[in-house]
Amino acid sequence: MRHPTCWGRRPAVMGVINLTPDSFSDGGQFNSAKQARKEADRQINDGADVLDLGAQSTRPGAEEVGEEEELKRLIPCLQAIRRDHPDVIISVDTFLAAVATAALEAGADWINDVSGGRRDAGMLPLIADAGCPYVLMHSRGDSASMDACTNYGSEGVVNAVRRELRESTKRALRQGVKATQLIWDPGLGFAKDNEQNLELIRQLEEFQRDGIPLLLGPSRKRFIGAVLNQPRPKARIWGTAAVCARAQAAGVHVLRVHDVGPIHQVVSMGEAVARNT
């Protein structure tokens, strides 16, 4: 299994490359092999430790395009980036086992599944066989229904998300996935309202108690826009940076972001300040 060299020392910066026409903040910018290669070059030069390629938008309200279209968008870009950068860690953001299979065969190292194995019964056995790192994210519903799935009752969002991540982990282990393959993602913005997202960030340490590395994806999200009264996703960089600094203080292992250069500076400075020399 491949992890970044910074693993456990500072958060790895995972750069987002959306190979879609409809992603919420950068749809259509990188949906050709030429554009994706250029963006990969930029992000690696800016300090990306992992590249996360996605060919199916998972934003609220996104239309699901299906396996064939997802593969058509993904594989040429993945192959081109792998040729250019044989050593970079590449993650693929998909909830379909067939897409994950093709991605791993084309050179991907990680699978990042927003459904945590819920959407495709073939995903967890595939991950077990592949032995690759697997980002198991908390979510409820799908793109069409997630905004109606934010009722966590008296249990509260932190306890409920942690319990549901544990349940998903048990399912993965029963399918043969090793605990050492797992990375948890509490799923900011997926079936959480603005205050629930903030509460998860306030209590990130609760998710560290199980000893599973944690990934956080706050980049440009709606709750940041709500706090800052900033409707433009690309103008939410400072709010994103603040959340990333908080996540670093909580010991998060991976930060999934669009603005790689600034966030790499945030975590590098945080590492220097915290260093005990």
Side-chain angles (χ1 to χ4, degrees), residues 33-60:
K34 181 178 179 179
Q35 292 167 317
R37 289 173 64 191
K38 184 176 180 180
E39 178 63 8
D41 291 346
R42 186 185 70 81
Q43 292 192 8
I44 291 168
N45 289 335
D46 284 349
D49 302 292
V50 182
L51 300 178
D52 192 45
L53 278 58
Q56 163 66 60
S57 177
T58 53
R59 63 176 174 79

Side-chain angles (χ1 to χ4, degrees), residues 121 132 136 271-272:
C132 63
L136 189 157
E271 180 189 10

Side-chain angles (χ1 to χ4, degrees), residues 30-225:
F30 314 121
N31 58 343
S32 74
K34 181 178 179 179
Q35 292 167 317
R37 289 173 64 191
K38 184 176 180 180
E39 178 63 8
D41 291 346
R42 186 185 70 81
Q43 292 192 8
I44 291 168
N45 289 335
D46 284 349
D49 302 292
V50 182
L51 300 178
D52 192 45
L53 278 58
Q56 163 66 60
S57 177
T58 53
R59 63 176 174 79
E63 178 183 354
E64 293 187 7
V65 299
E67 173 189 321
E68 183 178 351
E69 179 63 23
E70 190 173 346
L71 287 168
K72 181 180 176 181
R73 295 172 178 179
L74 172 68
I75 297 302
C77 297
L78 170 56
Q79 291 173 332
I81 292 169
R82 176 53 76 209
R83 284 194 299 270
D84 290 349
H85 302 283
D87 297 324
V88 70
I89 295 175
I90 298 177
S91 168
V92 167
D93 183 353
T94 185
F95 51 77
L96 296 179
V99 175
T101 298
L104 292 168
E105 290 173 351
D109 303 287
W110 295 14
I111 299 299
N112 178 11
D113 180 0
V114 299
S115 81
R118 291 184 299 105
R119 295 295 305 278
D120 189 330
M123 181 65 85
L124 295 176
L126 164 66
I127 297 301
D129 289 342
C132 63
Y134 177 63
V135 180
L136 189 157
M137 197 185 87
H138 176 272
S139 61
R140 290 176 169 182
D142 55 22
S143 292
S145 62
M146 68 173 76
D147 282 348
C149 299
T150 60
N151 184 355
Y152 293 90
S154 60
E155 188 178 17
V157 66
V158 173
N159 289 333
V161 169
R162 188 179 175 203
R163 174 180 54 77
E164 291 175 19
L165 282 170
R166 284 173 164 176
E167 291 169 357
S168 296
T169 295
K170 289 177 183 177
R171 287 195 296 272
L173 297 178
R174 286 196 297 268
Q175 294 285 344
V177 179
K178 294 181 173 60
T180 52
Q181 293 176 248
L182 297 177
I183 301 167
W184 274 4
D185 179 351
L188 295 179
F190 287 77
K192 288 94 179 173
D193 63 26
N194 293 335
E195 181 56 35
Q196 289 166 344
N197 287 314
L198 293 171
E199 188 63 18
L200 289 171
I201 293 164
R202 294 182 190 115
Q203 298 195 49
L204 282 171
E205 285 83 358
E206 292 298 312
F207 296 94
Q208 303 285 23
R209 295 176 182 270
D210 291 77
I212 296 174
L214 198 64
L215 179 150
L216 200 70
S219 189
R220 301 179 178 178
K221 288 193 171 174
R222 283 188 301 177
F223 76 94
I224 295 175

